[in-house]
Amino acid sequence: MAGLLKGFFIAFLVSLAVTPLIRKMAFRIGAIDRPDARKVHSCVMPRLGGLAIYLAFTLTVLLAAPISKSMIGLLVGGTLILLLGIADDVMDIPPRMKLLGQLIAAGVLVAFGITVARITNPFGSVIELPILGIPLTILWVVGVTNAVNLIDGLDGLAGGLASIAGLTLAVVGWFEGEVTIALPAVILSASIIGFLKYNFHPAKIFMGDSGSMFLGYILAGLSVIGLTKGAAVVSVFVPILILGIPIFDTLFAIARRYINNQPIFEADKEHLHHRLLALGLSHRQTVLCIYGISGLLGASAVLLTFLTTAQAFAVFLGVTLLVLIGANRVGVLSTRAMQRMQQVEAKNRNIGA
């Protein structure tokens, strides 16, 4: 416990100290985010905050955490994904080049032996994945990296969600006796919390792609490392719930765009935070509401570690059903065609009345 607290405070203080410096540097090198029709901010903002989180996390891990082969792989891959994000923050690199960089960074984890070696069968056994684990690992890492990137739409949203996910990973790792997972997860969360002082609404700096991709990558990597440690943490349901908001929001976006005959990678304003804003919540209320949902999903993930595999599967299905119902209620799953139909039906009802 003392080691966790030490790591937390070092990372928090480093992040708190370096973020203002990174903010000034972002303006100097042109790493800025200009407002447009899809974004909610109305003035030019520096967007290199991910570098502050990276520095706090990496320095603290090197100072306070055991350095294993897996941790070296995570730091090397995290450095690559950060550099990719900085390039995008400064130059807006093409999506294909960004994807290639993400695949290379995911391959670094595989090269250092960080792969999904096994998953839990809902009916009780463990399925070994000697070869299939490699593409699954790459798909998971790239998917989570982009999911966190997509949810980064409001001040403090992606950072807060990543911090909650990190703390949940730490709790799960602690209960499983895996300090090698708990300590870096705590350090990551502390690095984000220090940054959130400047990123929560009204933000003074954005994390940019350098931050959102770094956070998604590290969380994905830590969850895969956790999957190699024991049968309870092996459960595929745990990391999915821990990263539930970005994962579900991304899946809903893909389904929504497919049904609407839109390009899958075309941006829209129908994500969860957009829908909550449209329902009348303020910027802060929307972020705090999503924090609350993420906290509940994290608590569900912790609960799974105390259940049998069959019980965990039942809880996971129940939580997923509730997420689907909630998403439909706020309009995240609605298609344009459905919305037009609902408008026509409401108009007809008014005429009939």
Side-chain angles (χ1 to χ4, degrees):
M1 181 61 74
L4 294 178
L5 291 175
K6 176 184 175 182
F8 182 93
F9 283 112
I10 293 175
F12 173 76
L13 292 175
V14 172
S15 180
L16 204 62
V18 301
T19 300
L21 303 177
I22 300 298
R23 182 176 185 272
K24 293 179 181 178
M25 185 175 71
F27 279 116
R28 290 176 183 171
I29 66 175
I32 55 177
D33 195 328
R34 301 184 185 278
D36 60 32
R38 181 176 163 269
K39 297 171 182 175
V40 299
H41 64 284
S42 57
C43 60
V44 174
M45 293 288 291
R47 59 175 182 179
L48 202 61
L51 180 57
I53 298 172
Y54 166 83
L55 290 173
F57 175 77
T58 303
L59 290 174
T60 308
V61 166
L62 292 174
L63 287 172
I67 304 300
S68 61
K69 179 182 178 181
S70 295
M71 191 54 56
I72 293 173
L74 192 66
L75 294 178
V76 171
T79 301
L80 289 179
I81 207 75
L82 174 90
L83 294 174
L84 178 68
I86 290 175
D88 193 48
D89 288 339
V90 177
M91 298 180 293
D92 287 323
I93 62 178
R96 289 184 179 180
M97 185 178 296
K98 190 189 299 186
L99 177 60
L100 176 61
Q102 292 170 351
L103 290 170
I104 293 172
V108 169
L109 296 183
V110 174
F112 278 83
I114 303 172
T115 61
V116 180
R118 64 185 71 86
I119 60 173
T120 301
N121 183 332
F123 301 101
S125 61
V126 174
I127 303 173
E128 300 292 335
L129 301 171
I131 302 298
L132 188 59
I134 293 176
L136 280 178
T137 300
I138 293 174
L139 178 64
W140 169 256
V141 173
V142 172
V144 172
T145 299
N146 283 290
V148 176
N149 183 240
L150 286 174
I151 202 68
D152 185 24
L154 295 179
D155 296 352
L157 180 56
L161 292 179
S163 181
I164 293 169
L167 289 174
T168 306
L169 270 173
V171 171
V172 171
W174 178 260
F175 281 135
E176 294 299 317
E178 295 296 340
V179 180
T180 54
I181 299 301
L183 182 53
V186 164
I187 291 171
L188 182 67
S189 294
S191 302
I192 300 167
I193 293 171
F195 172 73
L196 282 175
K197 172 178 171 52
Y198 308 96
N199 182 241
F200 197 75
H201 186 71
K204 297 181 178 68
I205 183 173
F206 292 162
M207 66 170 60
D209 278 6
S210 59
S212 58
M213 290 200 303
F214 175 75
L215 292 180
Y217 181 88
I218 296 298
L219 287 170
L222 285 175
S223 66
V224 173
I225 294 171
L227 287 172
T228 68
K229 298 300 181 180
V233 184
V234 176
S235 175
V236 71
F237 315 130
V238 173
I240 291 175
L241 288 180
I242 288 173
L243 296 160
I245 292 293
I247 288 176
F248 285 123
D249 191 61
T250 299
L251 292 176
F252 294 154
I254 292 172
R256 182 175 62 246
R257 292 166 190 172
Y258 176 78
I259 294 171
N260 283 328
N261 294 316
Q262 292 176 275
I264 296 298
F265 297 104
E266 179 181 284
D268 61 25
K269 296 192 71 171
E270 301 297 327
H271 290 282
L272 175 59
H273 53 280
H274 292 127
R275 298 309 309 153
L276 292 177
L277 287 171
L279 290 174
L281 272 65
S282 69
H283 194 125
R284 286 185 177 226
Q285 288 171 338
T286 297
V287 172
L288 292 174
C289 178
I290 298 176
Y291 283 2
I293 298 171
S294 183
L296 290 175
L297 290 175
S300 300
V302 174
L303 174 63
L304 295 192
T305 64
F306 295 97
L307 303 177
T308 64
T309 301
Q311 291 170 336
F313 183 59
V315 170
F316 177 78
L317 287 180
V319 171
T320 302
L321 180 61
L322 290 174
V323 169
L324 289 171
I325 294 172
N328 188 56
R329 290 291 296 272
V330 301
V332 174
L333 291 176
S334 297
T335 68
R336 292 175 182 172
M338 289 173 60
Q339 290 170 354
R340 287 196 296 268
M341 188 183 304
Q342 291 167 354
Q343 291 171 356
V344 170
E345 290 174 352
K347 183 177 181 180
N348 291 337
R349 284 196 299 268
N350 291 334
I351 294 173

